[in-house]
Amino acid sequence: MPNSFGKMFTITTWGESHGAGVGVVVDGCPPLLPITAEEIQAELDRRRPGQSDIVTPRNEADAVEILSGVFEGKTTGTPIAMLVRNADQRPGAYDEMREKFRPSHADFTYQAKYGVRDHRGGGRSSARETIGRVAAGAIAKKLLATKGVEIRAFVTRVQDVAIPETVLSEMPFPSPGQIEASAVRCPHTATAEAMIERIKEVRAAGDSVGGVIRCRVRGIPAGLGEPVFDRLEADLAKAMLSLPASKGFEIGSGFAGTLLKGSEHNDAWISQDGKPRTATNRSGGVQGGISNGEEIFFNVAFKPTATIMLPQKTVDAHGAQTELTGRGRHDACVLPRAVPIVESMAALVLVDHWMRQNAQRGTF
Amino acid sequence: MPNSFGKMFTITTWGESHGAGVGVVVDGCPPLLPITAEEIQAELDRRRPGQSDIVTPRNEADAVEILSGVFEGKTTGTPIAMLVRNADQRPGAYDEMREKFRPSHADFTYQAKYGVRDHRGGGRSSARETIGRVAAGAIAKKLLATKGVEIRAFVTRVQDVAIPETVLSEMPFPSPGQIEASAVRCPHTATAEAMIERIKEVRAAGDSVGGVIRCRVRGIPAGLGEPVFDRLEADLAKAMLSLPASKGFEIGSGFAGTLLKGSEHNDAWISQDGKPRTATNRSGGVQGGISNGEEIFFNVAFKPTATIMLPQKTVDAHGAQTELTGRGRHDACVLPRAVPIVESMAALVLVDHWMRQNAQRGTF
Amino acid sequence: MPNSFGKMFTITTWGESHGAGVGVVVDGCPPLLPITAEEIQAELDRRRPGQSDIVTPRNEADAVEILSGVFEGKTTGTPIAMLVRNADQRPGAYDEMREKFRPSHADFTYQAKYGVRDHRGGGRSSARETIGRVAAGAIAKKLLATKGVEIRAFVTRVQDVAIPETVLSEMPFPSPGQIEASAVRCPHTATAEAMIERIKEVRAAGDSVGGVIRCRVRGIPAGLGEPVFDRLEADLAKAMLSLPASKGFEIGSGFAGTLLKGSEHNDAWISQDGKPRTATNRSGGVQGGISNGEEIFFNVAFKPTATIMLPQKTVDAHGAQTELTGRGRHDACVLPRAVPIVESMAALVLVDHWMRQNAQRGTF
Amino acid sequence: MPNSFGKMFTITTWGESHGAGVGVVVDGCPPLLPITAEEIQAELDRRRPGQSDIVTPRNEADAVEILSGVFEGKTTGTPIAMLVRNADQRPGAYDEMREKFRPSHADFTYQAKYGVRDHRGGGRSSARETIGRVAAGAIAKKLLATKGVEIRAFVTRVQDVAIPETVLSEMPFPSPGQIEASAVRCPHTATAEAMIERIKEVRAAGDSVGGVIRCRVRGIPAGLGEPVFDRLEADLAKAMLSLPASKGFEIGSGFAGTLLKGSEHNDAWISQDGKPRTATNRSGGVQGGISNGEEIFFNVAFKPTATIMLPQKTVDAHGAQTELTGRGRHDACVLPRAVPIVESMAALVLVDHWMRQNAQRGTF
């Protein structure tokens, strides 16, 4: 089931960029959670195109319809199907893509894998697929919120425009308002402004940029995650590397932590109100694959958007050398819209592991 | 099934550091592959303790017994169970761990998760669990070898001792001999020597170091991997973050690639012998989650070994503050022994996706 | 994923009887299969209400929309989402069910399981859920047809009105026309007429009846199915017992075969054109969980419809004794409409195992 | 994972009849369950050969070793690996089977599926595979016992020697002692004696017989099982049809219930101590796939043992017609030894669904 994610709280996404629509089925959701289409729409609005002047102007309301699984305002424990119709379709705009493989896109690989592809707007490889993730993630986030868990992702770097390391490492847990304050979803105002400027410059040049998103989670109790293969950090890594344009993941001290010695890196245990806490948090809230009750945090690297408005060398379906210039409406930087997607995927992983812990440590 | 990995070529590992033994069941292996215990043992010997003067002197032969699934020298398509008995047990050496949580280990989190733990040598959280992965990986690597696929992992950095970036980026595909030439499994001789020196220094000081392993794979045809959640890079990321002590993963251009613009980062398509090839390989051999036929390469970050021979602050099972000094026989740097484990996990992911591609594009 | 079925060709159904609609996502379908909404609709028409004068008069067109996964008339290998809107809703008709548990229905058990239920028309427990199975099954049947596989289910018994055993055991493989010739989907004309008469009598009395469906499959090559847990007959049994109102499953000689001795029961091997064939087929086409190339056949028992138009004793949500009389439009016998559902589930199991065999015996 | 069963409480069996041994890995077992090798051995002794004068005289102690997952007498939540070495091997006895396909065995189908097979004693298709199931089932049964659940299987019919229907339908829940009182595991003494006589007669004639096992379960609360595909009865059916020699499954009223009208078949609800109970139990304890708190009961049909000591027509590996006479030590009737296997599989299904219910209705 390559289009499903999660073992107990399982989502299955479907849909292409220029087909009838995109959607998701959420299977395994606990019953009796109050949820409305408006709450889900609010999260979708954070990822929708056209929301600000630094994202793609493709104008899609991305209005969600809940087709099943919610009755009289509450989940029933049965599958929750959600549908977003595609609206702003310009299929003619993609005729060139039928024959030419876009560089660093999935055109060639889909063709190689399936022997066929819906070339319009990238088809299934379009980032519109993430609509289903965000709709499902809205439910997962609400479930976690009922347990006191908060998840905040934000942009820490756009190309080389970054929140200063000292600021980042000392930053208090940001509020939703601080993140949403800027169109780029960076809670450090000065950096946010510089990021926006960079994105506008690059876009004006027909080019694109990438960067880094950090995600922080607090309120997760100790004991979630499985040792061995389904470690919490392993499932988070998979979740993040499953996102379009992501190229890297690191948790806690990550790559930088490899420069320290063990004596510098280890998180000493201290007793706080009779409970073990770590003096530092280079572990990033997980040890041996299992949450230790500290804040969970990780970084995700996103490459520059593959679609650029500059001519590029490529090959056509017949193997002949040719050239392609991006057209249409694209994000010069995907990170602002990727923030709610990262949060959604994190929420999905965490709910799933919470349910797995319930299973093994429940009434037995 | 938290102790299983893979959908079609599925492995299930079991065992604790100081129990009767450790092992693995491989389910789904194609029949008629010639395989011997000796071939599996050869891979286990690359990860076993005591193999050189820079790894733990715990003296375990780690001799493997094939219990099922191989008949007259060939796999039969039925489960292959393999067993390695634990030999060099010193349970008394771990009495202190029954009551004290080791910093940056999994002692506390296992206790929180399960309400019980086998404290001897870390129990299930011991790196001895990876014996099963390497035994299974030996079979996966042999399967891939029959298809012309080669997998080579090697150490590129120990703490700050690194293969120079220009050397690394231009390095030809290394041979097994080049990697095994040094005890640290770094194919760049000068760097290898410096790494070994660093490890010895640090170990003499009772401390530890981490670093980075790169894995390179060639011979994978275009079309392996699934779009959406089970992307090849997502499954590789999960595989790598499931390894003890790993804290980060990046594929292709990774974190560094986020500093480039799209025009600099995109891999132009060129026609080579009528076949599309990429002029550069910042994608790392995967696009949209699917292999594009180029070399696949990725990096894995390993933190410094948590066990150090220096006194550390910790908390005991009753919540009281105390101190702990590591004892016993440990690796001051896990990377040399992690090399075959990284290769094994990569092989498992690749075989699994190959079989999944068979399923969907087979005789139907 | 309780609402998913199949490992490689995976379907996920969703929807309630009186919600917005019902549907299915098919994940893993091989690409390049020509398929149209009309072909799927043709199968749905075989299970839809109102199709004849012996089934429920609920008037639903059950018109299917393909939302994704099909491009220019062919499957693309990506998820195929299908939607059927609910039309003929009379929610007011179900007010009594909010408070009273219908005998031998799922009202009480859903309430016990989830603490909540959509009571309208049975909600998720409605047989409308099977629309998704039939839509997915239409694709699976088409895939199998391309391989020369034919699947025919038909009604062999309604209450005690049965095709004579000697006729049944000698019956040639029936054509679709022979099965569709009668509204009851029994290819033996005299029996079909008696069945229809019985159903009309029972319905006139406000009562209901059950019976037995046989399914026959020819064209399956030897080698499909897995030993041990995922035996072909085990997966078929699960598929059939997952159908609403089914109470029993038997393959080959089934329960009656237990009256024979081994010497009477065993299927001798004979050589036919140099190929091993069985002289008899008490095995029902499977041996050790794996197809042997002979015809696969099995029976499924369906209980009488739980909804009857007679007063029944029951209990309300407050634990008080009360009475309930069925209302609304129901089938006095589910078997005629269950025929395409049985075929669909059989097709799903067979395609899945074919793909699994591809995986293990493919290009490796 | 064709050799795994269960979603949360997952078992993976491995091993061949004449390889090094057979075994099982149990993954997902809740921690802190007290369990000993002796308790597991007691269940294995109920299925082992040589236990009475009506079963195969193959003399195997089937001594189990727990290799992992149990520490200081309690489960730790990590995988429990168990091993039973094969002892009484007579490989030479099977030379004929290398070339000849035994009728109604899995020889031909394994060869067709894998292109190779371990022919000795049936290899993987041997009923020795069920040792792993019984070892795992012993743990599942103990878990259920801690919740007050009792599982009793027993033989109700051998060929046509059956417990009278009136006795069977009125029989109180049998005690273990009543079942174990006879070698045939039928709690009705007169019938048991006739069954034993029949088995001895048939065996003396070199022939074999089958029959029916009933399984009864009490103490399961309402709410276990999943609607749609993973219905409790669907998973039970799969479990039972996954057993060697089983050909049929029916729950509650089963095939006989199809002869009743709805008004006769429905289980009226009555209020007992303010709790809904059914006046009758034709549902067999499940409605809509979910337990309703009543006793769960089902029947399993087992065909006569395929191995008989009489000459049979068969075909050899080269397609030539030949003859084969069974040799070696076999059960003339598998049912007495199948009783603990049926109980084990039922226990595995029930524990799994209990854990799934925990997951969805746990602390969320």
Side-chain angles (χ1 to χ4, degrees), chain C residues 244-289:
Chain C
S246 69
K247 299 301 281 183
F249 170 89
E250 55 181 4
I251 190 157
S253 63
F255 280 89
T258 63
L259 296 168
L260 301 177
K261 291 185 187 162
S263 56
E264 299 162 333
H265 188 274
N266 280 355
D267 294 318
W269 285 110
I270 52 171
S271 184
Q272 197 174 84
D273 308 328
K275 233 181 66 179
R277 297 288 309 270
T278 61
T280 49
N281 187 16
R282 291 188 194 91
S283 298
V286 288
Q287 291 176 329

Short mmCIF file of all heavy atoms in Angstrom, two decimals, chain C residues 244-289:
data_model
loop_
_atom_site.label_atom_id
_atom_site.label_comp_id
_atom_site.label_asym_id
_atom_site.label_seq_id
_atom_site.Cartn_x
_atom_site.Cartn_y
_atom_site.Cartn_z
N PRO C 244 -21.36 -9.23 4.79
CA PRO C 244 -22.51 -9.16 5.67
C PRO C 244 -23.36 -10.42 5.52
O PRO C 244 -23.59 -10.89 4.39
CB PRO C 244 -23.28 -7.94 5.16
CG PRO C 244 -22.29 -7.14 4.38
CD PRO C 244 -21.29 -8.10 3.85
N ALA C 245 -23.82 -10.98 6.64
CA ALA C 245 -24.75 -12.11 6.68
C ALA C 245 -24.13 -13.46 6.38
O ALA C 245 -24.81 -14.49 6.44
CB ALA C 245 -25.95 -11.88 5.75
N SER C 246 -22.84 -13.52 6.09
CA SER C 246 -22.24 -14.84 5.81
C SER C 246 -21.92 -15.55 7.13
O SER C 246 -21.49 -14.91 8.09
CB SER C 246 -20.99 -14.70 4.95
OG SER C 246 -19.95 -14.09 5.67
N LYS C 247 -22.14 -16.83 7.17
CA LYS C 247 -21.91 -17.61 8.41
C LYS C 247 -21.03 -18.83 8.19
O LYS C 247 -20.71 -19.53 9.17
CB LYS C 247 -23.25 -18.07 9.00
CG LYS C 247 -24.22 -16.99 9.41
CD LYS C 247 -23.70 -16.02 10.45
CE LYS C 247 -23.73 -16.53 11.87
NZ LYS C 247 -23.26 -15.47 12.82
N GLY C 248 -20.68 -19.14 6.95
CA GLY C 248 -19.89 -20.33 6.75
C GLY C 248 -19.18 -20.33 5.41
O GLY C 248 -19.59 -19.64 4.46
N PHE C 249 -18.12 -21.12 5.33
CA PHE C 249 -17.30 -21.24 4.12
C PHE C 249 -16.78 -22.67 4.06
O PHE C 249 -16.37 -23.23 5.08
CB PHE C 249 -16.12 -20.26 4.21
CG PHE C 249 -15.08 -20.45 3.14
CD1 PHE C 249 -15.16 -19.79 1.93
CD2 PHE C 249 -13.98 -21.30 3.35
CE1 PHE C 249 -14.19 -19.96 0.94
CE2 PHE C 249 -13.01 -21.47 2.37
CZ PHE C 249 -13.12 -20.80 1.16
N GLU C 250 -16.78 -23.23 2.87
CA GLU C 250 -16.13 -24.54 2.70
C GLU C 250 -15.55 -24.59 1.30
O GLU C 250 -16.12 -24.07 0.34
CB GLU C 250 -17.09 -25.70 2.95
CG GLU C 250 -18.35 -25.67 2.11
CD GLU C 250 -19.31 -26.83 2.42
OE1 GLU C 250 -19.05 -27.62 3.34
OE2 GLU C 250 -20.32 -26.92 1.70
N ILE C 251 -14.40 -25.21 1.19
CA ILE C 251 -13.72 -25.31 -0.11
C ILE C 251 -13.61 -26.78 -0.49
O ILE C 251 -13.42 -27.65 0.36
CB ILE C 251 -12.34 -24.61 -0.09
CG1 ILE C 251 -11.78 -24.52 -1.51
CG2 ILE C 251 -11.37 -25.28 0.86
CD1 ILE C 251 -10.75 -23.43 -1.71
N GLY C 252 -13.74 -27.03 -1.79
CA GLY C 252 -13.65 -28.41 -2.25
C GLY C 252 -14.70 -29.27 -1.58
O GLY C 252 -15.87 -28.90 -1.49
N SER C 253 -14.26 -30.39 -1.05
CA SER C 253 -15.21 -31.34 -0.44
C SER C 253 -15.85 -30.80 0.84
O SER C 253 -16.88 -31.30 1.28
CB SER C 253 -14.49 -32.65 -0.13
OG SER C 253 -13.47 -32.41 0.82
N GLY C 254 -15.22 -29.83 1.47
CA GLY C 254 -15.81 -29.13 2.61
C GLY C 254 -16.24 -30.02 3.75
O GLY C 254 -15.57 -31.01 4.10
N PHE C 255 -17.39 -29.65 4.36
CA PHE C 255 -17.89 -30.42 5.50
C PHE C 255 -18.26 -31.84 5.08
O PHE C 255 -18.03 -32.79 5.83
CB PHE C 255 -19.07 -29.70 6.15
CG PHE C 255 -18.65 -28.59 7.07
CD1 PHE C 255 -18.47 -27.30 6.59
CD2 PHE C 255 -18.41 -28.83 8.41
CE1 PHE C 255 -18.07 -26.27 7.44
CE2 PHE C 255 -18.00 -27.82 9.27
CZ PHE C 255 -17.82 -26.53 8.79
N ALA C 256 -18.84 -31.99 3.90
CA ALA C 256 -19.26 -33.32 3.46
C ALA C 256 -18.07 -34.25 3.29
O ALA C 256 -18.16 -35.47 3.52
CB ALA C 256 -20.05 -33.23 2.15
N GLY C 257 -16.94 -33.70 2.92
CA GLY C 257 -15.74 -34.52 2.70
C GLY C 257 -15.25 -35.21 3.95
O GLY C 257 -14.51 -36.19 3.89
N THR C 258 -15.67 -34.69 5.11
CA THR C 258 -15.21 -35.30 6.36
C THR C 258 -15.87 -36.65 6.60
O THR C 258 -15.51 -37.35 7.54
CB THR C 258 -15.52 -34.38 7.56
OG1 THR C 258 -16.95 -34.23 7.66
CG2 THR C 258 -14.90 -33.01 7.38
N LEU C 259 -16.85 -36.98 5.79
CA LEU C 259 -17.51 -38.29 5.95
C LEU C 259 -16.79 -39.39 5.17
O LEU C 259 -17.09 -40.57 5.32
CB LEU C 259 -18.97 -38.19 5.49
CG LEU C 259 -19.82 -37.24 6.36
CD1 LEU C 259 -21.16 -36.96 5.71
CD2 LEU C 259 -20.01 -37.81 7.76
N LEU C 260 -15.83 -39.00 4.34
CA LEU C 260 -15.11 -39.98 3.51
C LEU C 260 -13.86 -40.47 4.22
O LEU C 260 -13.35 -39.82 5.13
CB LEU C 260 -14.72 -39.34 2.17
CG LEU C 260 -15.86 -38.80 1.31
CD1 LEU C 260 -15.29 -38.13 0.07
CD2 LEU C 260 -16.82 -39.92 0.93
N LYS C 261 -13.37 -41.61 3.75
CA LYS C 261 -12.06 -42.06 4.19
C LYS C 261 -10.99 -41.46 3.27
O LYS C 261 -11.29 -41.06 2.14
CB LYS C 261 -11.99 -43.59 4.13
CG LYS C 261 -12.87 -44.23 5.18
CD LYS C 261 -12.69 -45.74 5.18
CE LYS C 261 -13.71 -46.35 6.12
NZ LYS C 261 -13.89 -47.78 5.84
N GLY C 262 -9.76 -41.46 3.74
CA GLY C 262 -8.67 -40.93 2.94
C GLY C 262 -8.58 -41.57 1.57
O GLY C 262 -8.35 -40.91 0.56
N SER C 263 -8.80 -42.88 1.53
CA SER C 263 -8.70 -43.59 0.25
C SER C 263 -9.80 -43.16 -0.72
O SER C 263 -9.65 -43.28 -1.93
CB SER C 263 -8.78 -45.11 0.49
OG SER C 263 -9.99 -45.40 1.18
N GLU C 264 -10.92 -42.68 -0.17
CA GLU C 264 -12.01 -42.19 -1.01
C GLU C 264 -11.83 -40.71 -1.37
O GLU C 264 -12.34 -40.23 -2.37
CB GLU C 264 -13.36 -42.33 -0.27
CG GLU C 264 -13.73 -43.75 0.09
CD GLU C 264 -14.80 -43.82 1.18
OE1 GLU C 264 -14.88 -42.87 2.01
OE2 GLU C 264 -15.53 -44.81 1.23
N HIS C 265 -11.15 -40.00 -0.49
CA HIS C 265 -11.09 -38.54 -0.59
C HIS C 265 -9.91 -38.04 -1.42
O HIS C 265 -10.01 -37.04 -2.13
CB HIS C 265 -11.03 -37.93 0.82
CG HIS C 265 -11.17 -36.44 0.86
ND1 HIS C 265 -10.10 -35.58 0.70
CD2 HIS C 265 -12.25 -35.65 1.02
CE1 HIS C 265 -10.53 -34.33 0.77
NE2 HIS C 265 -11.82 -34.33 0.96
N ASN C 266 -8.80 -38.73 -1.34
CA ASN C 266 -7.59 -38.23 -2.01
C ASN C 266 -7.79 -38.09 -3.51
O ASN C 266 -8.47 -38.90 -4.14
CB ASN C 266 -6.42 -39.19 -1.76
CG ASN C 266 -5.78 -38.97 -0.38
OD1 ASN C 266 -6.17 -38.06 0.35
ND2 ASN C 266 -4.84 -39.83 -0.03
N ASP C 267 -7.20 -37.06 -4.06
CA ASP C 267 -7.24 -36.81 -5.50
C ASP C 267 -6.00 -37.44 -6.14
O ASP C 267 -4.90 -36.88 -6.03
CB ASP C 267 -7.26 -35.30 -5.78
CG ASP C 267 -8.54 -34.63 -5.30
OD1 ASP C 267 -9.63 -35.21 -5.50
OD2 ASP C 267 -8.46 -33.53 -4.74
N ALA C 268 -6.20 -38.55 -6.78
CA ALA C 268 -5.07 -39.21 -7.44
C ALA C 268 -4.48 -38.30 -8.52
O ALA C 268 -5.20 -37.54 -9.17
CB ALA C 268 -5.53 -40.52 -8.07
N TRP C 269 -3.16 -38.38 -8.69
CA TRP C 269 -2.50 -37.63 -9.77
C TRP C 269 -2.52 -38.47 -11.04
O TRP C 269 -2.20 -39.66 -11.01
CB TRP C 269 -1.05 -37.32 -9.41
CG TRP C 269 -0.90 -36.22 -8.40
CD1 TRP C 269 -0.49 -36.37 -7.11
CD2 TRP C 269 -1.17 -34.84 -8.60
NE1 TRP C 269 -0.48 -35.14 -6.49
CE2 TRP C 269 -0.89 -34.19 -7.38
CE3 TRP C 269 -1.62 -34.07 -9.69
CZ2 TRP C 269 -1.05 -32.82 -7.21
CZ3 TRP C 269 -1.77 -32.70 -9.52
CH2 TRP C 269 -1.50 -32.09 -8.30
N ILE C 270 -2.87 -37.83 -12.12
CA ILE C 270 -2.75 -38.50 -13.42
C ILE C 270 -1.95 -37.58 -14.34
O ILE C 270 -1.90 -36.37 -14.14
CB ILE C 270 -4.12 -38.81 -14.05
CG1 ILE C 270 -4.99 -37.54 -14.07
CG2 ILE C 270 -4.84 -39.93 -13.28
CD1 ILE C 270 -6.27 -37.70 -14.86
N SER C 271 -1.34 -38.18 -15.30
CA SER C 271 -0.52 -37.41 -16.22
C SER C 271 -1.36 -37.09 -17.46
O SER C 271 -1.90 -37.99 -18.12
CB SER C 271 0.72 -38.23 -16.61
OG SER C 271 1.56 -37.46 -17.44
N GLN C 272 -1.51 -35.83 -17.74
CA GLN C 272 -2.29 -35.43 -18.91
C GLN C 272 -1.43 -34.53 -19.77
O GLN C 272 -1.02 -33.44 -19.31
CB GLN C 272 -3.56 -34.69 -18.45
CG GLN C 272 -4.63 -34.60 -19.53
CD GLN C 272 -5.89 -33.98 -18.99
OE1 GLN C 272 -6.01 -32.77 -18.95
NE2 GLN C 272 -6.85 -34.80 -18.59
N ASP C 273 -1.14 -34.98 -20.98
CA ASP C 273 -0.22 -34.23 -21.84
C ASP C 273 1.08 -33.93 -21.08
O ASP C 273 1.62 -32.82 -21.17
CB ASP C 273 -0.86 -32.92 -22.31
CG ASP C 273 -2.22 -33.14 -22.94
OD1 ASP C 273 -2.43 -34.20 -23.55
OD2 ASP C 273 -3.09 -32.25 -22.80
N GLY C 274 1.54 -34.91 -20.29
CA GLY C 274 2.79 -34.75 -19.56
C GLY C 274 2.72 -33.81 -18.38
O GLY C 274 3.73 -33.50 -17.75
N LYS C 275 1.52 -33.35 -18.09
CA LYS C 275 1.34 -32.41 -16.97
C LYS C 275 0.53 -33.10 -15.88
O LYS C 275 -0.44 -33.79 -16.19
CB LYS C 275 0.53 -31.19 -17.46
CG LYS C 275 1.16 -29.84 -17.20
CD LYS C 275 0.28 -28.68 -17.69
CE LYS C 275 -1.03 -28.53 -16.94
NZ LYS C 275 -1.86 -27.39 -17.42
N PRO C 276 0.92 -32.93 -14.61
CA PRO C 276 0.14 -33.56 -13.54
C PRO C 276 -1.24 -32.90 -13.41
O PRO C 276 -1.33 -31.68 -13.34
CB PRO C 276 0.98 -33.31 -12.27
CG PRO C 276 2.32 -32.84 -12.75
CD PRO C 276 2.08 -32.21 -14.10
N ARG C 277 -2.25 -33.72 -13.41
CA ARG C 277 -3.62 -33.27 -13.17
C ARG C 277 -4.24 -34.18 -12.12
O ARG C 277 -3.81 -35.32 -11.95
CB ARG C 277 -4.46 -33.38 -14.47
CG ARG C 277 -3.99 -32.52 -15.62
CD ARG C 277 -4.29 -31.06 -15.39
NE ARG C 277 -5.68 -30.80 -15.01
CZ ARG C 277 -6.66 -30.55 -15.87
NH1 ARG C 277 -6.42 -30.52 -17.17
NH2 ARG C 277 -7.88 -30.33 -15.44
N THR C 278 -5.26 -33.73 -11.45
CA THR C 278 -5.92 -34.62 -10.49
C THR C 278 -7.10 -35.30 -11.15
O THR C 278 -7.84 -34.69 -11.93
CB THR C 278 -6.40 -33.85 -9.24
OG1 THR C 278 -7.35 -32.86 -9.64
CG2 THR C 278 -5.25 -33.18 -8.53
N ALA C 279 -7.27 -36.57 -10.82
CA ALA C 279 -8.36 -37.36 -11.39
C ALA C 279 -9.70 -36.87 -10.87
O ALA C 279 -10.71 -36.88 -11.59
CB ALA C 279 -8.16 -38.84 -11.04
N THR C 280 -9.74 -36.49 -9.61
CA THR C 280 -10.93 -35.88 -9.01
C THR C 280 -10.51 -34.52 -8.46
O THR C 280 -9.34 -34.15 -8.54
CB THR C 280 -11.46 -36.76 -7.85
OG1 THR C 280 -10.34 -37.08 -7.00
CG2 THR C 280 -12.08 -38.04 -8.38
N ASN C 281 -11.45 -33.78 -7.88
CA ASN C 281 -11.08 -32.45 -7.38
C ASN C 281 -11.73 -32.17 -6.03
O ASN C 281 -12.40 -31.17 -5.83
CB ASN C 281 -11.46 -31.37 -8.41
CG ASN C 281 -10.94 -29.99 -8.02
OD1 ASN C 281 -10.06 -29.87 -7.15
ND2 ASN C 281 -11.49 -28.96 -8.62
N ARG C 282 -11.51 -33.09 -5.09
CA ARG C 282 -12.04 -32.84 -3.74
C ARG C 282 -11.22 -31.77 -3.03
O ARG C 282 -11.69 -31.16 -2.08
CB ARG C 282 -12.06 -34.13 -2.93
CG ARG C 282 -13.11 -35.09 -3.47
CD ARG C 282 -13.35 -36.30 -2.66
NE ARG C 282 -14.12 -37.21 -3.52
CZ ARG C 282 -13.57 -38.13 -4.33
NH1 ARG C 282 -12.27 -38.31 -4.34
NH2 ARG C 282 -14.34 -38.85 -5.11
N SER C 283 -10.00 -31.55 -3.52
CA SER C 283 -9.17 -30.49 -2.95
C SER C 283 -9.75 -29.11 -3.27
O SER C 283 -9.42 -28.13 -2.60
CB SER C 283 -7.75 -30.57 -3.51
OG SER C 283 -7.15 -31.81 -3.16
N GLY C 284 -10.58 -29.02 -4.30
CA GLY C 284 -11.14 -27.71 -4.66
C GLY C 284 -10.11 -26.77 -5.26
O GLY C 284 -10.25 -25.55 -5.19
N GLY C 285 -9.08 -27.36 -5.87
CA GLY C 285 -8.11 -26.52 -6.59
C GLY C 285 -6.97 -25.98 -5.75
O GLY C 285 -6.12 -25.25 -6.27
N VAL C 286 -6.95 -26.32 -4.46
CA VAL C 286 -5.84 -25.86 -3.61
C VAL C 286 -5.29 -27.03 -2.79
O VAL C 286 -6.04 -27.84 -2.28
CB VAL C 286 -6.27 -24.74 -2.62
CG1 VAL C 286 -6.49 -23.44 -3.35
CG2 VAL C 286 -7.52 -25.12 -1.84
N GLN C 287 -4.00 -27.09 -2.69
CA GLN C 287 -3.33 -28.11 -1.87
C GLN C 287 -2.21 -27.45 -1.09
O GLN C 287 -1.34 -26.79 -1.68
CB GLN C 287 -2.82 -29.24 -2.76
CG GLN C 287 -4.00 -30.03 -3.36
CD GLN C 287 -3.58 -31.11 -4.33
OE1 GLN C 287 -2.57 -30.99 -5.02
NE2 GLN C 287 -4.37 -32.17 -4.41
N GLY C 288 -2.25 -27.58 0.22
CA GLY C 288 -1.24 -26.93 1.05
C GLY C 288 -1.30 -25.42 0.94
O GLY C 288 -0.30 -24.75 1.14
N GLY C 289 -2.48 -24.90 0.60
CA GLY C 289 -2.65 -23.45 0.55
C GLY C 289 -2.36 -22.84 -0.79
O GLY C 289 -2.49 -21.63 -0.98
#
